[in-house]
Amino acid sequence: MGIIWTIIIGFVAGIIAKFIMPGNNEPSGFVLTTILGIVGAFVATFLGQALGWYRADEGAGFIGAIVGAVIVLAIWGFIARRR
């Protein structure tokens, strides 16, 4: 259930992150925004576990997933600007 919950939270987090950081170089489609949020949730889970904020069986919370999605969106924007 942990991975499914991370995907659901990541989906919502991707939509919120897109509203927080709008721009021209960010992904504009529904699917890409969803994938962005899911990747952000997994990044937040991994970083939280590596830093000791979460146990091995815990996933990132909603705020952590939003922060992770914003980080992934910022990296996406940086890479897209360079091309």
Side-chain angles (χ1 to χ4, degrees):
M1 185 68 182
I3 291 176
I4 294 172
W5 188 244
T6 303
I7 290 171
I8 292 169
I9 288 178
F11 167 71
V12 176
I15 293 170
I16 292 172
K18 184 70 174 160
F19 284 118
I20 291 173
M21 284 188 63
N24 295 332
N25 293 331
E26 279 72 21
S28 58
F30 176 76
V31 174
L32 284 177
T33 301
T34 302
I35 291 171
L36 163 83
I38 293 170
V39 169
F42 279 109
V43 166
T45 299
F46 176 74
L47 288 176
Q49 289 174 355
L51 294 172
W53 295 341
Y54 307 120
R55 294 188 318 260
D57 60 340
E58 279 185 316
F62 187 64
I63 301 298
I66 292 172
V67 171
V70 168
I71 290 170
V72 171
L73 185 60
I75 292 170
W76 179 285
F78 178 75
I79 292 171
R81 253 185 284 159
R82 297 192 72 197
R83 285 193 278 165

